[in-house]
Amino acid sequence: MTPDNPDFDPSSILTDNERQGLAAWEQRVQNTLDEASAGASDPAPAHESNAPEHSGGESAEPGEHTDSGGDPELPAHETTPQKPIPSNAVTPNYTPEMAACDRNIAAIFGGSGAVAAANGFEPPGLSSKYPGYRGDVVGANGQIYPGHLTYSAHIYGNTEGTGSGDLYVPAGGRRTSGPSPTDAVVTFYYSQLGSQSNVTLAVFHVGDYGISSAGTRVRIGTIGGRGGGEDPSYVHSHIEIYKGNVRLPALNARAGLRINPASVFCK
Amino acid sequence: MLKVLVNVVLLITVASTVETQQASTASSTNERPGNCNSNSAQLDRVRNEASAGIEKGEVIIAIARLGKGETSRELNGRRLYSVQAYLSKRAGLPEKAIVAGEGVRAEGYGRVELYVGGKLLNVLFAKRNEILCVECCGIDENYYLYRREKKRRPGSGMKLRS
């Protein structure tokens, strides 16, 4: 069977992981089409329009971007991740509310096709060497260990983590530092951001940094800058939010200042 | 003493496994050092894959191997420390579930191989003479683990001020 053969099945040359990623992508496209066709009552869904209604910054209203109603049409792969979930996971299930929040954050910070991971779960299409769950876990001693994605929301160009794309921040902020030399971190101060006031937004791994207005958002560069783009199967940027106007705090000071991005944009 | 014994036993019992699995390791992974981000993500994956077995008494075995052009065994120690520290202090695994040892020198990059349930699950590669960064993002260069390996000059040991 060859590509010249009309019976050729292109998916036959894919690995299981690639096939899974392709299925996830196709499902996401279908979801978008379904929601677009049903969008008469919702003319500007966040994930289709890159959230033009999202003003962020000083004009942002708390909870403005919340899509709290969830999405009952979510495909099974979004609610049932295929990769192992540790038995001590605090949030072992990827709920429709989490998926809606991730879409919301992707629409705020990413361009067309962007995917966010801000609720403990990586996109399902990531390479098999990367985990599905990166949320909080409970240690044997009862202590809760924060997952990487709890305070660090990842933005990918696509669900496989292999693509770049435009990177945005909400309008209304003021750049206070960066890009830094090692991880291309750019910080912005906001008197109001989502549900929080007086916070610093740090965007890590900003590629091709450059500020340009984009409606109610500001384009700051591309996904997968220094520190986030070296592995072609894990191309991402990520955001962290700190209390106060603190630029980029020292590593050991961040823990006490961090705010969960999901709580800022989805609650 | 027990730790030393464990390491010795590991060296004996794992050496052959490491040798035989090297070919598959080389062919099944992308032999390039990752960055802080990808290393921490891969360790989270190891945690996720191993947690069910650990509840039944299994352990994660981490084997460090120097790479081409590397001579200091201290590198192995530092790389293993980073992996152990991340898995226990960040990923929430019990320290006793992580067993570390050194293997024979590898071709190419130095590395830490991670075995779960007797199978090679992941390999973290390190740049020559550098440790494994597992903290994302913005590592603390003042933390000794993250300092570059430096050649010590003869007689340049730390002196106490009088």
Side-chain angles (χ1 to χ4, degrees), chain B residues 71-122:
Chain B
T71 55
S72 171
R73 287 184 58 201
E74 190 179 348
L75 277 173
N76 279 339
R78 289 187 176 199
R79 290 167 181 166
L80 286 171
Y81 183 93
S82 294
V83 168
Q84 285 181 299
Y86 186 90
L87 289 174
S88 60
K89 294 182 171 61
R90 293 281 188 271
L93 293 179
E95 285 188 24
K96 63 183 180 184
I98 307 156
V99 179
E102 293 183 59
V104 296
R105 178 181 298 279
E107 292 293 323
Y109 290 106
R111 65 196 63 186
V112 174
E113 299 169 343
L114 293 144
Y115 296 82
V116 176
K119 295 180 180 175
L120 178 62
L121 184 64
N122 217 322

Side-chain angles (χ1 to χ4, degrees), chain A residues 87 133-134 183 205 227 230 254, chain B residues 35 37 41 44 48 55 137-138:
Chain A
S87 56
Y133 183 78
R134 299 193 79 189
D183 282 299
H205 320 310
E230 288 79 0
R254 290 178 204 166
Chain B
N35 56 26
N37 251 315
D44 279 347
N48 293 355
E55 287 179 355
C137 289

Side-chain angles (χ1 to χ4, degrees), chain B residues 36-53:
Chain B
C36 309
N37 251 315
S38 61
N39 287 340
S40 67
Q42 290 178 73
L43 287 174
D44 279 347
R45 181 233 175 178
V46 169
R47 183 269 315 273
N48 293 355
E49 299 270 356
S51 64

Side-chain angles (χ1 to χ4, degrees), chain A residues 25-218:
Chain A
W25 176 78
E26 288 174 342
Q27 187 62 61
R28 186 169 290 277
V29 169
Q30 188 58 50
N31 286 347
T32 302
L33 293 173
D34 291 347
E35 290 172 15
S37 63
S41 59
D42 181 11
H47 65 282
E48 290 176 12
S49 60
N50 292 332
E53 78 280 19
H54 171 77
S55 52
E58 293 171 346
S59 61
E61 294 296 326
E64 181 180 1
H65 312 291
T66 302
D67 189 4
S68 57
D71 184 353
E73 300 299 323
L74 281 173
H77 71 267
E78 288 198 357
T79 54
T80 311
Q82 300 299 308
K83 294 176 179 176
I85 308 292
S87 56
N88 58 347
V90 173
T91 54
N93 299 311
Y94 189 54
T95 65
E97 289 76 18
M98 291 174 172
C101 178
D102 282 344
R103 283 198 299 270
N104 192 32
I105 290 177
I108 294 169
F109 292 95
S112 177
V115 175
N119 285 272
F121 288 84
E122 294 277 26
L126 281 188
S127 161
S128 61
K129 71 178 178 179
Y130 291 116
Y133 183 78
R134 299 193 79 189
D136 298 352
V137 295
V138 182
N141 56 2
Q143 179 184 342
I144 291 182
Y145 293 82
H148 177 74
L149 294 178
T150 300
Y151 293 105
S152 167
H154 280 205
I155 313 292
Y156 300 92
N158 58 29
T159 192
E160 292 80 24
T162 56
S164 181
D166 292 334
L167 187 60
Y168 301 85
V169 297
R174 173 171 55 85
R175 186 174 72 96
T176 52
S177 72
S180 67
T182 53
D183 282 299
V185 187
V186 185
T187 62
F188 302 86
Y189 173 73
Y190 288 83
S191 58
Q192 184 71 40
L193 180 67
S195 64
Q196 297 289 321
S197 58
N198 187 31
V199 294
T200 296
L201 170 68
V203 188
F204 290 69
H205 320 310
V206 179
D208 305 318
Y209 171 75
I211 295 283
S212 60
S213 178
T216 55
R217 300 190 294 172
V218 175

